[in-house]
Amino acid sequence: MKRAICTGSFDPVTNGHINIFERAAKMFDELIVCIFVNNKKQYYFSLEERLNFLKESTQHIKNIKIDHNEGLVTDYMKERDIKIIIRGLRSTADFEHEVNEAQMIKYLANEIDTIFLLTEPEFLFVSSTGIRELAKFKGNVKGLVPNCVEQAILKKYN
């Protein structure tokens, strides 16, 4: 079985993320989307909320599994015999960051390869950080995030 993983904090998941998941899922028998928790980071949405958003917004992707972890991605992948990590790229800034991450992963686990998927043009400007900023100032996030996330943002700020 060919398996791959997409990792992130997904705080919150965006339609850009969903697009990457949909495209990556077509390449593998199973795609695991895993929230990696950084206990030193302050999150906008709780882990439970983020897991629920991912589950609800990826229901249409039949070969996807949602999970979370607090350790190293390489340990998680080794324990589950996953050899491919998928990363979405929006810009050269993303590339510079992600290439360093990929090299660190390769250093820790030479058997793991990283595949970069370019973001579709309509999502180039969409980021979780940008969504949180819009939400803070009650900006319109419709079409940028799954409906469940939009509704949670409206509830949180109204």
Side-chain angles (χ1 to χ4, degrees), residues 8-12 35-50 69-70 132 156:
S9 60
F10 307 114
D11 188 32
I35 296 173
F36 274 79
V37 179
N38 178 344
N39 290 328
K40 294 178 182 170
K41 187 174 177 183
Q42 180 110 3
Y43 292 102
Y44 182 75
F45 288 106
S46 71
L47 175 60
E48 183 179 343
E49 287 173 308
R50 290 179 286 144
N69 191 48
E70 293 186 21
R132 291 191 306 270
K156 197 169 215 156

Side-chain angles (χ1 to χ4, degrees), residues 73-85:
V73 68
T74 50
D75 291 343
Y76 181 95
M77 292 175 74
K78 285 177 186 178
E79 289 167 10
R80 290 157 183 83
D81 196 33
I82 303 167
K83 305 278 192 245
I84 304 288
I85 186 166

Side-chain angles (χ1 to χ4, degrees), residues 72-75 77-78 85 87 95-114 116:
L72 288 174
V73 68
T74 50
D75 291 343
M77 292 175 74
K78 285 177 186 178
I85 186 166
R87 303 300 294 166
F95 177 76
E96 288 179 12
H97 171 78
E98 294 297 344
V99 118
N100 287 333
E101 293 290 318
Q103 292 301 326
M104 180 59 79
I105 289 169
K106 196 66 157 164
Y107 172 79
L108 294 172
N110 192 52
E111 69 278 10
I112 295 174
D113 281 309
T114 301
F116 298 116

